[in-house]
Amino acid sequence: IAHGGGRRFPVGSEEYRILVDWIAAGASAPNDSDPRIQGVQIFPTSVSLEPGAGQQILVRARYSDGHSEDVTRWVKFSSTDTGVATVDDAGKVKMTGSGEAAITVWYQSQVGFARVGVPYPNKISAEVFRSAPRHNYIDELALRKLESLHIEPSGQAGDNTFLRRVYLDAMGVLPTPDEVERFTTDKDPAKRSKLIEEILGREEFVDYWAYKWSDLLLVSSRRLRSNAMWSFYNWIRASVASNKPWDQFVREILVSSGDTRENGALNYYVLHKNPIDLTENITKAFLGLTITCARCHNHPLEKWTQKDYFQMANLVSRIAEKNGAEPGDVIVYSSPTGGVNYPKLGRPLPPRPLDGEPLDLNSPEDRRGRLAEWLASPKNPYFARALVNRVWKNFMGRGLVEPEDDVRATNPASNEDLLAALTKDFTDHHFDVKRLIRTVMESAAYQRDSAVNATNAGDEKYYSHYIIKRLPAEVILDAIAQVSRVPTQFAGYPVGTRALQLPDSQVNSYFLTVFGRPPRLVSDSSERMHEPTITQALHVINGETLNQMLSAKDGAIEMFLKLGLSDSRVVEHLYLSAFSRPPTAPERTEILAALAKAAKVSASDPLEKEPRRKPMEDLMWAMLTGKEFLFNH
């Protein structure tokens, strides 16, 4: 049989011997009585080594007849971080740097990993870790990881920084100057916890998380009529407002039947009309898994086979729709017939959740119920883990697993113990999303300063300091509108509607598009773009959005001038509004001198009616386009 060229293996090799012996024995086909592989064991599972050291990874396969055997020779090995460790085809690891890496193994669609690491060459007193603040179990587990790697945590963020951070991370809005002054002058030692509780009860919190889940569920008029889009969004927002448990939230999406106008969750099925689309979206959105590869062949990086894929697809193959009383109104119901053919056999397979028990192919029960039951089952390692990782990424700037929606077994967490503890806590407390958010915000790990020290400057994985991150497009636009006191005008929406209150990603806004608003075409975190671009820079320099807000006749600068505020009061107000802190003494001195000089130049122009306006516009422009404003820190 011709092949692509090149020697596959030499005569006399082990591969050669196995094929020759099989042919000599009659080239028998597999049969149902053959032992089936049930899992792999990896040795060692975790090890800390010296710089430059080597380590042999051994893998044993367990079979259904009870025996096990060494399969190290046949395993595919890879390293998640070649800057820390490399691994060859035989499983021999070579440590190449400090830190941790996972050595992943793949054998006959069974996967696993071993963790190898080298502590950083830092000398840190044990007292540093003993005295570090601990607010809840997150801190104990985070500090344990930092101590094992010899990374010293940064100190706690100041009140001004913390206030701005939690407002932006949890609500997507800036604190007002009054809120800044009230919080920073409060002497109550429990004021941070009280602030967190206050935030959890605010409408802006509901807006922010409704928008986030709308991204996840692809709410958009691109594929939904306007009334259907609103119905879906309103259901999501009401669910967030009532703190609906995550398992109930997802169950209502998957198992409901009826009119999409009366039950907005049903529009999920209007968006995803065929079993293949549904299967891939459900696994991505709710499990953090991408199983698309298994549609055509066994997954090369995971344990999922093509058979697994089509059994999963058969769980959602009996969903039917018919038109309702008006355009955009759809009736969704469970059909007694329907199936997806398994390509190798040309017929449907018994429906089965990934890693779940199969359902009889002829059973009349609604298969979606079995899917929903398996999703929230304690035996399902992905459902709660995926949501926990999304929430963690929102606040901490990096998922415990990265990318945030790729929680496959061969992409382990940077702190597996911490992710496991968060997941267990989330499950034990009945999938309470608000409680999970509170737990993360309460932690000392979240409240660390973004300023680094000599030992943690290069750390972006272990949360030794707060990771500075650029604000999302919608938050930036809303923040500009808030500081300038000029609301953004969105066609078809009332004046004062914030970007985070828009139910539809198709609302026209060049600013949001340029700054990375996702189009909501696929449930993938990579849809949202955070990278700076030349187009962004040109838009803030010459574009209409910011410049029109600065020059608006009813904006903040007009208010300053009408009230006759001194330059000093203006600078103070702008700093509190944009940065949630007062200016430092050098900043105040330099800016006031620049304002006075610019106003003097403007006054020399006989056509200039208000010489202070242009300098103030320039000051606000500089602040709203600077890193301190555009980033959370």
Side-chain angles (χ1 to χ4, degrees):
I1 298 174
H3 61 74
R7 174 171 288 183
R8 292 296 185 256
F9 42 79
V11 173
S13 67
E14 184 68 3
E15 292 87 348
Y16 182 91
R17 183 193 63 77
I18 288 173
L19 282 175
V20 168
D21 289 350
W22 172 63
I23 294 170
S28 59
N31 63 68
D32 292 340
S33 64
D34 290 339
R36 304 288 176 178
I37 189 168
Q38 293 187 320
V40 291
Q41 295 173 294
I42 304 168
F43 307 95
T45 57
S46 180
V47 63
S48 181
L49 301 168
E50 296 292 326
Q55 173 69 49
Q56 176 66 51
I57 302 295
L58 300 177
V59 183
R60 293 187 66 81
R62 293 181 290 104
Y63 290 89
S64 57
D65 62 354
H67 91 282
S68 64
E69 60 186 73
D70 190 325
V71 294
T72 305
R73 176 184 176 91
W74 314 110
V75 168
K76 292 180 181 178
F77 293 95
S78 64
S79 172
T80 60
D81 190 341
T82 55
V84 175
T86 58
V87 62
D88 63 18
D89 293 340
K92 182 72 173 180
V93 175
K94 176 71 173 179
M95 304 309 295
T96 56
S98 299
E100 276 191 343
I103 304 301
T104 63
V105 306
W106 187 93
Y107 176 69
Q108 289 192 0
S109 293
Q110 297 293 317
V111 297
F113 67 90
R115 195 175 295 278
V116 296
V118 172
Y120 289 90
N122 303 315
K123 302 297 182 182
I124 305 172
S125 168
E127 179 60 28
V128 168
F129 299 100
R130 281 196 298 268
S131 61
R134 290 168 168 81
H135 298 170
N136 54 35
Y137 67 87
I138 289 175
D139 300 318
E140 190 65 47
L141 295 170
L143 288 167
R144 186 185 304 169
K145 175 66 71 174
L146 293 176
E147 186 170 15
S148 71
L149 292 172
H150 301 175
I151 301 174
E152 182 177 349
S154 295
Q156 297 289 277
D159 281 348
N160 295 87
T161 299
F162 173 76
L163 178 67
R164 187 177 193 268
R165 180 186 300 174
V166 294
Y167 265 59
L168 290 170
D169 280 343
M171 298 191 293
V173 298
L174 291 166
T176 66
D178 287 344
E179 288 170 333
V180 174
E181 292 179 345
R182 184 167 62 249
F183 181 75
T184 54
T185 56
D186 188 351
K187 302 302 181 184
D188 186 347
K191 66 181 181 180
R192 293 195 178 191
S193 295
K194 291 180 177 179
L195 174 68
I196 291 169
E197 206 59 41
E198 176 190 325
I199 286 172
L200 293 175
R202 286 182 52 162
E203 287 298 305
E204 296 94 331
F205 174 88
V206 178
D207 292 335
Y208 182 87
W209 290 93
Y211 196 97
K212 192 172 188 67
W213 302 145
S214 294
D215 276 352
L216 179 69
L217 296 174
L218 310 180
V219 180
S220 167
S221 62
R222 183 189 294 267
R223 288 187 290 174
L224 291 174
R225 287 184 177 269
S226 179
N227 57 348
M229 178 270 296
W230 271 107
S231 177
F232 199 6
Y233 172 78
N234 287 336
W235 177 82
I236 293 170
R237 195 181 190 286
S239 299
V240 174
S242 66
N243 193 32
K244 186 176 292 179
W246 189 249
D247 62 329
Q248 181 184 342
F249 179 83
V250 176
R251 182 179 179 80
E252 288 182 15
I253 291 174
L254 295 181
V255 304
S256 297
S257 296
D259 192 322
T260 58
R261 181 178 52 185
E262 298 172 0
N263 184 352
L266 288 166
N267 286 287
Y268 181 78
Y269 288 118
V270 180
L271 283 169
H272 310 288
K273 290 184 178 296
N274 66 75
I276 296 301
D277 188 21
L278 273 169
T279 300
E280 295 179 4
N281 185 273
I282 288 169
T283 52
K284 186 69 169 183
F286 304 132
L287 300 175
L289 299 174
T290 303
I291 66 169
T292 306
C293 292
R295 191 197 307 172
C296 301
H297 52 76
N298 292 350
H299 203 297
L301 301 175
E302 259 288 9
K303 64 181 182 179
W304 312 122
T305 65
Q306 190 182 31
K307 181 179 178 182
D308 293 329
Y309 180 100
F310 281 93
Q311 286 190 286
M312 178 77 172
N314 245 346
L315 286 168
V316 289
S317 63
R318 293 185 172 180
I319 301 162
E321 300 176 7
K322 62 182 179 181
N323 292 331
E326 60 184 66
D329 186 12
V330 178
I331 308 300
V332 177
Y333 59 98
S334 177
S335 171
T337 60
V340 180
N341 287 336
Y342 179 45
K344 289 184 178 179
L345 299 178
R347 59 177 172 81
L349 297 173
R352 180 178 68 91
L354 300 175
D355 275 347
E357 295 299 319
L359 184 67
D360 187 277
L361 193 59
N362 298 314
S363 172
E365 75 172 90
D366 188 341
R367 298 171 176 182
R368 297 176 299 163
R370 183 65 63 92
L371 172 60
E373 179 184 339
W374 170 76
L375 278 175
S377 167
K379 296 180 180 179
N380 179 358
Y382 305 104
F383 179 69
R385 184 179 173 97
L387 190 278
V388 165
N389 196 54
R390 289 185 190 278
V391 171
W392 182 268
K393 169 70 174 283
N394 179 83
F395 288 98
M396 304 300 289
R398 185 187 192 279
L400 284 158
V401 175
E402 275 291 319
E404 68 179 85
D405 47 9
D406 183 15
V407 296
R408 57 189 159 84
T410 49
N411 186 30
S414 59
N415 189 329
E416 194 63 41
D417 291 343
L418 176 53
L419 181 53
L422 282 162
T423 302
K424 183 178 185 302
D425 189 31
F426 182 52
T427 305
D428 289 348
H429 288 89
H430 312 293
F431 302 93
D432 186 335
V433 178
K434 188 175 285 188
R435 185 184 186 279
L436 171 64
I437 290 171
R438 180 190 296 110
T439 301
V440 175
M441 288 198 293
E442 287 273 14
S443 70
Y446 175 66
Q447 297 183 27
R448 287 197 183 107
D449 206 324
S450 59
V452 298
N453 57 48
T455 73
N456 70 9
D459 172 33
E460 293 291 326
K461 294 171 60 176
Y462 305 111
Y463 313 103
S464 57
H465 57 89
Y466 182 81
I467 298 174
I468 298 173
K469 55 183 183 285
R470 206 208 74 182
L471 300 176
E474 300 86 348
V475 176
I476 295 174
L477 184 56
D478 286 345
I480 291 173
Q482 182 177 338
V483 175
S484 67
R485 299 176 67 90
V486 179
T488 309
Q489 299 284 328
F490 296 109
Y493 291 84
V495 175
T497 301
R498 293 182 294 109
L500 282 173
Q501 293 175 317
L502 296 173
D504 186 7
S505 64
Q506 297 304 300
V507 175
N508 186 45
S509 171
Y510 184 71
F511 184 96
L512 294 179
T513 300
V514 166
F515 276 82
R517 174 181 60 179
R520 295 181 180 172
L521 298 176
V522 293
S523 290
D524 195 311
S525 59
S526 64
E527 262 207 334
R528 180 175 289 278
M529 304 300 293
H530 293 281
E531 292 76 14
T533 65
I534 295 297
T535 309
Q536 293 171 9
L538 291 174
H539 186 61
V540 297
I541 294 171
N542 299 315
E544 294 181 352
T545 305
L546 180 55
N547 290 307
Q548 286 185 354
M549 287 180 171
L550 294 178
S551 60
K553 295 304 180 184
D554 54 353
I557 292 177
E558 186 71 17
M559 180 190 72
F560 299 152
L561 296 173
K562 286 182 178 179
L563 293 176
L565 297 186
S566 66
D567 285 353
S568 181
R569 288 287 303 278
V570 169
V571 172
E572 181 84 12
H573 181 88
L574 286 178
Y575 264 75
L576 291 173
S577 297
F579 302 154
S580 304
R581 67 172 178 86
T584 64
E587 286 172 336
R588 185 189 301 272
T589 300
E590 186 174 354
I591 292 172
L592 289 177
L595 285 174
K597 181 179 179 181
K600 186 176 181 180
V601 172
S602 294
S604 64
D605 184 352
L607 300 178
E608 183 61 66
K609 295 180 180 179
E610 181 48 76
R612 296 177 66 206
R613 170 178 281 279
K614 180 91 171 50
M616 287 184 186
E617 289 180 0
D618 290 344
L619 170 62
M620 187 182 288
W621 182 91
M623 293 177 70
L624 298 184
T625 58
K627 290 182 180 179
E628 186 170 0
F629 179 79
L630 296 174
F631 287 77
N632 203 358
H633 48 83

